[in-house]
Amino acid sequence: MTTATTAPAGRVTPDGPRARFGDLLAAEWLRTWSLRSTPWLYVITALAVIAFNAGTAYDHYKYWYQYDTRSRTAFVANGIPLVDAFTMNAALVLALAAIGAVSVTGEYGTGLIRTTFTAVPARRSVMAAKVLVLAAVTSAFGALVAAASFASTQAILSGRHASVPLDHPDAPRVVVASALLAPVAALAGLAIGTVVRHTGGSVFGCVVVLLLLPMVLSERRHLTAVLQHTLLFSAWERLTSTQTQRSHDLFPWTITGAWTVYALWALAAGAVTVLAVHRRDQ
């Protein structure tokens, strides 16, 4: 005869205590770092992005005296030091989206996801834990990379008195937007991976949705411009653009609108990840 056990959360189950959400978070945290490739992916991505941005700043440092006085003045006035700090963020988007996708497609590929859902039938809770852990890790990662990119590039440019301080009018927005790009891209990749379930197809989907669509949609027509404004990478470009760059837009949009796109992408990605596994066979 099976004896029902009262779970710590107050839920009685016939087989034993129901897994608490804190336990699911802890399990997902351990699973994330149990793969040797995961820390290396983060380290390699961070070093590549920071090094490329520093290299872009060094090019301007090296050839600074080839510019005339007007160009040097415009360099700072037009916010180019901030552009140098985050030149490589397209690669950051792709790398973080791929990490997000692989974090779930790897389990589908090995069949481990079936074992997980057998042990914890509350599928949505399992996926919600994945969403929160991935968001926390990539938020810290994005903040670290953004801070390092800004600090290193401005340190290089300061040798030519061409750097901008963190209290520059555009700097806080650009740094924060670049930092938050990492978790939102990772969550988008997680959602795509949950739906597609195949690593190659998921990475291809990330490339198409996050990078190719913003390039394909033209800003010269109102409809395509509006559609482009709903995309994540376009929102990042809007948040990191300077006043001079925005003056050339045919269909300008607001900074508030771009922040809203960030929030909607994160919420939609989380919702898709959690709901897509509810009734779908594994």
Side-chain angles (χ1 to χ4, degrees):
M1 179 177 179
T2 303
T3 302
T5 305
T6 303
R11 181 68 64 88
V12 178
T13 68
D15 300 316
R18 181 188 180 190
R20 294 170 298 183
F21 191 67
D23 297 330
L24 297 179
L25 289 173
E28 181 60 26
W29 178 266
L30 292 175
R31 190 204 64 78
T32 297
W33 300 110
S34 64
L35 296 174
R36 292 182 180 180
S37 59
T38 300
W40 283 110
L41 284 173
Y42 283 114
V43 170
I44 292 171
T45 300
L47 292 178
V49 171
I50 295 169
F52 189 94
N53 291 335
T56 302
Y58 181 74
D59 280 344
H60 285 128
Y61 173 90
K62 182 177 180 180
Y63 299 106
W64 183 252
Y65 293 112
Q66 295 184 10
Y67 307 138
D68 56 30
T69 303
R70 182 178 179 182
S71 297
R72 294 178 196 171
T73 302
F75 183 87
V76 177
N78 293 339
I80 305 303
L82 291 173
V83 175
D84 283 358
F86 303 105
T87 301
M88 197 60 174
N89 269 30
L92 180 69
V93 169
L94 181 57
L96 268 294
I99 290 173
V102 170
S103 69
V104 67
T105 59
E107 291 192 66
Y108 278 110
T110 60
L112 182 60
I113 196 75
R114 297 187 185 92
T115 304
T116 300
F117 288 154
T118 299
V120 185
R123 297 179 177 185
R124 286 179 290 187
S125 296
V126 172
M127 301 309 288
K130 288 183 179 294
V131 168
L132 292 179
V133 170
L134 182 66
V137 172
T138 53
S139 293
F141 174 83
L144 175 63
V145 172
S149 290
F150 180 82
S152 60
T153 53
Q154 302 316 302
I156 292 170
L157 293 172
S158 65
R160 303 300 190 206
H161 303 289
S163 61
V164 295
L166 190 56
D167 60 358
H168 181 276
D170 292 326
R173 183 187 73 250
V174 173
V175 173
V176 172
S178 298
L180 292 179
L181 183 62
V184 181
L187 290 176
L190 179 64
I192 293 173
T194 303
V195 172
V196 177
R197 301 185 180 185
H198 183 272
T199 299
S202 298
V203 173
F204 177 76
C206 292
V207 173
V208 172
V209 173
L210 298 178
L211 295 182
L212 293 185
L213 277 181
M215 299 178 186
V216 171
L217 294 175
S218 172
E219 292 186 348
R220 297 189 176 186
R221 290 186 174 86
H222 182 264
L223 177 60
T224 54
V226 171
L227 291 174
Q228 188 191 61
H229 294 169
T230 65
L231 300 177
L232 175 60
F233 195 72
S234 298
W236 173 76
E237 288 183 321
R238 173 63 184 86
L239 290 169
T240 58
S241 61
T242 64
Q243 184 64 44
T244 302
Q245 293 170 318
R246 294 195 295 269
S247 65
H248 300 294
D249 292 344
L250 293 176
F251 301 101
W253 55 314
T254 65
I255 291 176
T256 301
W259 283 123
T260 302
V261 170
Y262 259 46
L264 291 177
W265 268 81
L267 292 174
V272 168
T273 301
V274 171
L275 299 177
V277 300
H278 182 47
R279 295 187 180 276
R280 199 172 175 190
D281 291 336
Q282 305 308 316

